[in-house]
Amino acid sequence: MKYFLPGICFIFLCFFTACKSNSNKRAVNLEDLDKVTTAEQQATPGPSRSILTATELIELSACKDLPCVQLFMKERSSDFVHAKKGEFASQYRSAVTDTSGNSLVIPMSTLYVTVDAGADWRMAHTVHTKALSDQLLQEFAVAKFFLTDSVYSNKGAGFIYHYHSAQYPGLVLSQTKTYAPWRARGLYYTVTWPCYVFELYARQN
């Protein structure tokens, strides 16, 4: 018993000393909180792609009204933001070079939808680099879309290329490089970089 009591006292003394140690009294400072917050933000996934795929554009072409398009794009809200009615922009932003050699950071693609019969396009996907345009054209090539004709458009200030696919006989794909997309809508008044516009619409018999 004479050895037991000192042993208990020693244990309590160690416990009390540990609770009073400087490491336990140290408060979490703002720098530590900033590090935790930064780590959490870095762990949050950002947009995974810059443009819609050919398959998605083919699916979208079946929409007959704006609510259908809005519902379709809502399911892709991690990559595209609904800017305003009928206008969607890629959340992925990067630099493009304008005709003066200036670098501009902009959304890499946009999707515009309108019911206005006077618009240049009813629903068009505009991508802002040639690399993305080539990527999308390659996806349409996989879907067997082949170039059938082209026409120069004074309105669009560029050649419009038309593609058809036996797999999708009711659809026409048009693609053009232009500095004046959606002129009738009044969008992009000061474009100084090439835009590549893709549109899918029902074939006229």
Side-chain angles (χ1 to χ4, degrees):
M1 185 69 176
K2 63 180 179 180
Y3 297 109
F4 181 72
L5 286 175
I8 292 177
C9 291
F10 178 76
I11 292 172
F12 274 106
L13 179 62
C14 291
F15 179 77
F16 180 76
T17 303
C19 290
K20 295 286 285 183
S21 69
N22 289 334
S23 62
N24 282 286
K25 289 197 298 182
R26 183 173 62 86
V28 177
N29 59 36
L30 291 177
E31 184 178 350
D32 292 333
L33 289 175
D34 287 341
K35 288 179 181 178
V36 172
T37 302
T38 301
E40 289 177 348
Q41 290 174 343
Q42 290 175 344
T44 303
S48 60
R49 39 64 176 280
S50 303
I51 61 175
L52 293 169
T53 65
T55 300
E56 287 173 322
L57 290 173
I58 291 170
E59 291 177 14
L60 265 175
S61 69
C63 284
K64 303 303 181 185
D65 53 35
L66 183 56
C68 174
V69 176
Q70 290 173 325
L71 178 61
F72 187 93
M73 294 303 292
K74 184 177 181 180
E75 297 172 355
R76 289 149 182 83
S77 59
S78 60
D79 296 310
F80 294 88
V81 60
H82 192 180
K84 52 186 175 179
K85 185 177 181 180
E87 301 177 13
F88 304 85
S90 166
Q91 295 204 52
Y92 188 90
R93 300 169 69 89
S94 189
V96 299
T97 303
D98 68 10
T99 52
S100 299
N102 300 314
S103 181
L104 308 169
V105 176
I106 62 172
M108 283 289 91
S109 71
T110 51
L111 179 77
Y112 290 122
V113 184
T114 184
V115 294
D116 179 11
D120 298 75
W121 294 281
R122 299 297 181 87
M123 179 167 63
H125 192 36
T126 304
V127 303
H128 296 296
T129 67
K130 185 177 185 301
L132 290 175
S133 175
D134 290 344
Q135 174 186 324
L136 194 49
L137 280 175
Q138 181 57 40
E139 291 182 13
F140 277 109
V142 172
K144 308 300 183 185
F145 278 85
F146 297 105
L147 179 64
T148 54
D149 60 38
S150 62
V151 60
Y152 185 80
S153 170
N154 290 321
K155 189 176 182 181
F159 277 96
I160 299 176
Y161 300 92
H162 295 131
Y163 299 79
H164 299 85
S165 172
Q167 292 184 13
Y168 304 95
L171 291 178
V172 177
L173 167 68
S174 74
Q175 187 266 352
T176 185
K177 174 184 175 181
T178 179
Y179 290 91
W182 283 56
R183 186 189 298 274
R185 189 82 181 272
L187 300 171
Y188 290 146
Y189 273 132
T190 57
V191 168
T192 55
W193 65 91
C195 300
Y196 301 86
V197 182
F198 291 78
E199 181 193 9
L200 273 172
Y201 55 89
R203 188 180 222 170
Q204 300 296 323
N205 296 323

